[in-house]
Coordinates of all heavy atoms in Angstrom, one line a residue:
F320 N 6.4 3.8 -22.2 CA 6.5 3.6 -20.8 C 6.1 2.1 -20.6 O 5.0 1.7 -21.0 CB 5.5 4.5 -20.0 CG 5.5 4.1 -18.5 CD1 6.5 4.5 -17.7 CD2 4.4 3.4 -18.0 CE1 6.5 4.2 -16.4 CE2 4.4 3.1 -16.7 CZ 5.4 3.5 -15.8
M321 N 7.0 1.4 -19.9 CA 6.7 0.0 -19.5 C 6.9 -0.1 -18.0 O 7.9 0.3 -17.5 CB 7.6 -1.0 -20.2 CG 7.5 -1.0 -21.7 SD 5.9 -1.7 -22.3 CE 6.1 -3.4 -21.8
E322 N 5.8 -0.6 -17.3 CA 6.0 -0.7 -15.9 C 7.0 -1.8 -15.5 O 7.0 -2.9 -16.1 CB 4.6 -1.1 -15.2 CG 4.7 -1.2 -13.8 CD 3.4 -1.7 -13.1 OE1 2.4 -1.8 -13.9 OE2 3.3 -1.9 -11.9
K323 N 7.9 -1.4 -14.6 CA 9.0 -2.4 -14.2 C 8.6 -2.9 -12.8 O 8.4 -2.1 -11.9 CB 10.3 -1.7 -14.2 CG 10.7 -1.1 -15.6 CD 12.1 -0.4 -15.5 CE 12.4 0.2 -16.8 NZ 13.7 1.0 -16.7
P324 N 8.6 -4.2 -12.7 CA 8.3 -4.7 -11.3 C 9.5 -4.4 -10.4 O 10.6 -4.2 -10.8 CB 8.2 -6.2 -11.6 CG 8.9 -6.5 -12.9 CD 8.8 -5.3 -13.7
M325 N 9.2 -4.5 -9.1 CA 10.2 -4.3 -8.1 C 11.3 -5.4 -8.3 O 11.0 -6.5 -8.5 CB 9.6 -4.3 -6.7 CG 8.7 -3.2 -6.4 SD 8.1 -3.3 -4.7 CE 9.6 -3.1 -3.8
S326 N 12.5 -4.9 -8.1 CA 13.6 -5.9 -8.2 C 13.7 -6.7 -6.9 O 13.1 -6.4 -5.9 CB 15.0 -5.2 -8.4 OG 15.3 -4.4 -7.2
F327 N 14.4 -7.8 -7.0 CA 14.6 -8.7 -5.9 C 15.2 -8.0 -4.7 O 14.7 -8.2 -3.5 CB 15.4 -9.9 -6.3 CG 15.6 -10.9 -5.1 CD1 14.6 -11.8 -4.7 CD2 16.8 -10.9 -4.4 CE1 14.8 -12.7 -3.7 CE2 17.0 -11.8 -3.4 CZ 16.0 -12.7 -3.0
V328 N 16.2 -7.2 -5.0 CA 16.8 -6.4 -3.9 C 15.8 -5.4 -3.2 O 15.8 -5.3 -2.0 CB 18.1 -5.6 -4.4 CG1 18.6 -4.8 -3.3 CG2 19.1 -6.6 -4.9
E329 N 15.0 -4.8 -4.0 CA 14.0 -3.8 -3.5 C 13.0 -4.6 -2.6 O 12.6 -4.1 -1.5 CB 13.3 -3.1 -4.6 CG 14.2 -2.1 -5.3 CD 13.6 -1.5 -6.5 OE1 12.8 -2.2 -7.2 OE2 13.9 -0.3 -6.9
R330 N 12.6 -5.7 -3.1 CA 11.6 -6.5 -2.3 C 12.2 -6.9 -1.0 O 11.6 -6.8 0.1 CB 11.1 -7.7 -3.1 CG 10.2 -7.4 -4.3 CD 9.5 -8.7 -4.7 NE 9.0 -8.6 -6.0 CZ 8.2 -9.5 -6.6 NH1 7.9 -10.6 -5.9 NH2 7.7 -9.4 -7.8
V331 N 13.4 -7.5 -1.0 CA 14.1 -8.0 0.2 C 14.3 -6.8 1.2 O 14.0 -7.0 2.4 CB 15.4 -8.6 -0.2 CG1 16.2 -8.9 1.1 CG2 15.2 -9.9 -1.0
A332 N 14.6 -5.6 0.7 CA 14.8 -4.5 1.6 C 13.5 -4.1 2.3 O 13.5 -3.9 3.5 CB 15.4 -3.3 0.8
S333 N 12.4 -4.1 1.6 CA 11.1 -3.8 2.2 C 10.7 -4.9 3.1 O 10.2 -4.6 4.2 CB 10.1 -3.6 1.1 OG 10.5 -2.5 0.2
V334 N 10.9 -6.2 2.7 CA 10.5 -7.3 3.6 C 11.2 -7.3 4.9 O 10.7 -7.4 5.9 CB 10.7 -8.6 2.8 CG1 10.5 -9.8 3.8 CG2 9.6 -8.7 1.7
L335 N 12.5 -7.1 4.8 CA 13.4 -7.1 6.0 C 13.0 -6.0 7.0 O 12.9 -6.3 8.2 CB 14.8 -7.0 5.6 CG 15.5 -8.2 5.0 CD1 17.0 -7.9 4.7 CD2 15.4 -9.4 6.0
R336 N 12.6 -4.9 6.5 CA 12.2 -3.8 7.4 C 11.0 -4.2 8.2 O 11.0 -4.0 9.4 CB 12.0 -2.5 6.6 CG 11.6 -1.3 7.4 CD 11.5 0.0 6.6 NE 10.5 -0.1 5.6 CZ 10.7 -0.1 4.3 NH1 12.0 -0.2 3.8 NH2 9.7 -0.1 3.4
Y337 N 10.0 -4.6 7.5 CA 8.8 -5.0 8.2 C 8.9 -6.3 9.0 O 8.3 -6.5 10.1 CB 7.6 -5.2 7.2 CG 7.2 -3.9 6.6 CD1 7.2 -3.7 5.2 CD2 6.7 -2.8 7.4 CE1 6.8 -2.5 4.6 CE2 6.3 -1.6 6.8 CZ 6.4 -1.4 5.4 OH 6.0 -0.3 4.9
L338 N 9.8 -7.2 8.5 CA 10.0 -8.5 9.2 C 10.7 -8.3 10.5 O 10.3 -9.0 11.5 CB 10.8 -9.4 8.3 CG 10.9 -10.9 8.7 CD1 9.5 -11.5 8.7 CD2 11.8 -11.7 7.8
I339 N 11.6 -7.4 10.5 CA 12.3 -7.1 11.8 C 11.3 -6.6 12.8 O 11.4 -6.9 14.0 CB 13.5 -6.2 11.5 CG1 14.6 -6.9 10.7 CG2 14.1 -5.7 12.9 CD1 15.7 -5.9 10.3
I340 N 10.5 -5.7 12.4 CA 9.5 -5.1 13.3 C 8.5 -6.2 13.8 O 8.2 -6.2 15.0 CB 8.7 -4.0 12.5 CG1 9.6 -2.8 12.2 CG2 7.5 -3.5 13.4 CD1 9.0 -1.8 11.3
G341 N 8.1 -7.1 12.9 CA 7.2 -8.1 13.3 C 7.8 -9.1 14.3 O 7.2 -9.5 15.3
V342 N 9.1 -9.5 14.0 CA 9.7 -10.4 14.9 C 9.9 -9.8 16.3 O 9.7 -10.4 17.3 CB 11.1 -10.9 14.3 CG1 11.9 -11.7 15.3 CG2 10.8 -11.7 13.1

Side-chain angles (χ1 to χ4, degrees):
F320 175 76
M321 297 291 292
E322 182 182 357
K323 300 176 182 178
M325 293 181 63
S326 66
F327 178 77
V328 175
E329 290 173 327
R330 290 197 197 185
V331 170
S333 300
V334 169
L335 284 179
R336 181 172 65 251
Y337 292 121
L338 191 61
I339 292 173
I340 295 174
V342 172

